[in-house]
Amino acid sequence: MKNIFKTNRIFTLIALFILSFTVFSCQRDDAAEDDIPQEELTNIVLNVKNLSTQETISYNYSIGAGSLPNIQLTDGVSYEVRTVFLNGSEEVTQEIKDAKDEHFLIFDFPRSEITLTRLDTSESTGVNGKVGLITQWDVVKAASTPSPLLQLTLIHEPASASESQNGTVWGSVTGGETDAEATFSLSN
């Protein structure tokens, strides 16, 4: 009888340990302090304005949906791009602006030749520089090789950030965590 009691106690302790581990491992370390937890971001919308025609087209990436919106670009044309973050139908971009010292966007254009300039105003320029909510894309070649992409990453609380280009990537950080990621296909 004593052995059954001890065995049940051991199983109970193991179950509690596994439950505790599961609950704590599913949470980010600073989720309570995060101004916009990644769980609250559902969509990333790029409003792409052709500076020649003044026409704006919106491209909506649904986080976790798996489908890639296709951004159509013309070689030799410049575009102003505004990035908008949504939680369902509610826009939460202002929360990122309010915490501009804690956010930074990285733009990667593998298989394309695009020059990116950050146009953020003081409203979205923090201690790490311009967040990247407003950018200009000067398209040299939208598709320099097959299957061009834009990989967009929102970083939360980087220790430092740089707007500089490294290969096809515009922006880099040290430290921080990913709040959201989006991938868009590009075409002519």
Side-chain angles (χ1 to χ4, degrees), residues 61-101:
Y61 178 84
S62 293
I63 296 173
S67 61
L68 305 182
N70 181 41
I71 301 173
Q72 295 188 350
L73 302 171
T74 303
D75 294 347
V77 174
S78 296
Y79 298 86
E80 180 184 277
V81 180
R82 293 180 180 261
T83 305
V84 176
F85 293 89
L86 300 174
N87 176 6
S89 61
E90 179 186 356
E91 184 176 340
V92 293
T93 310
Q94 186 61 47
E95 293 177 30
I96 293 170
K97 290 177 183 178
D98 292 344
K100 61 190 175 190
D101 293 338

Side-chain angles (χ1 to χ4, degrees), residues 11 81 104 149 162 182:
F11 285 130
V81 180
F104 191 79
L149 301 170
S162 170

Side-chain angles (χ1 to χ4, degrees), residues 2-123:
K2 287 185 181 181
N3 284 340
I4 293 173
F5 180 70
K6 287 182 182 180
T7 304
N8 285 341
R9 180 180 271 177
I10 290 172
F11 285 130
T12 302
L13 289 173
I14 290 172
L16 286 173
F17 174 75
I18 290 171
L19 180 63
S20 297
F21 180 76
T22 302
V23 169
F24 288 112
S25 67
C26 291
Q27 298 177 0
R28 284 176 48 191
D29 292 339
D30 62 350
E33 298 173 17
D34 197 347
D35 50 331
I36 183 162
Q38 74 271 21
E39 295 86 7
E40 293 182 10
L41 294 174
T42 60
N43 298 72
I44 299 174
V45 178
L46 297 181
N47 294 314
V48 180
K49 178 181 180 182
N50 181 318
L51 293 178
S52 297
T53 65
Q54 299 299 304
E55 179 185 9
T56 301
I57 300 175
S58 296
Y59 300 92
N60 186 346
Y61 178 84
S62 293
I63 296 173
S67 61
L68 305 182
N70 181 41
I71 301 173
Q72 295 188 350
L73 302 171
T74 303
D75 294 347
V77 174
S78 296
Y79 298 86
E80 180 184 277
V81 180
R82 293 180 180 261
T83 305
V84 176
F85 293 89
L86 300 174
N87 176 6
S89 61
E90 179 186 356
E91 184 176 340
V92 293
T93 310
Q94 186 61 47
E95 293 177 30
I96 293 170
K97 290 177 183 178
D98 292 344
K100 61 190 175 190
D101 293 338
E102 300 170 12
H103 290 96
F104 191 79
L105 280 166
I106 297 174
F107 297 81
D108 185 5
F109 296 97
R111 303 182 285 268
S112 294
E113 294 177 43
I114 297 175
T115 301
L116 182 132
T117 306
R118 293 171 191 261
L119 302 176
D120 298 79
T121 64
S122 59
E123 186 178 49

Side-chain angles (χ1 to χ4, degrees), residues 155-170:
I155 303 294
H156 182 254
E157 290 190 340
S160 66
S162 170
E163 297 176 18
S164 301
Q165 179 186 14
N166 182 7
T168 61
V169 181
W170 294 88

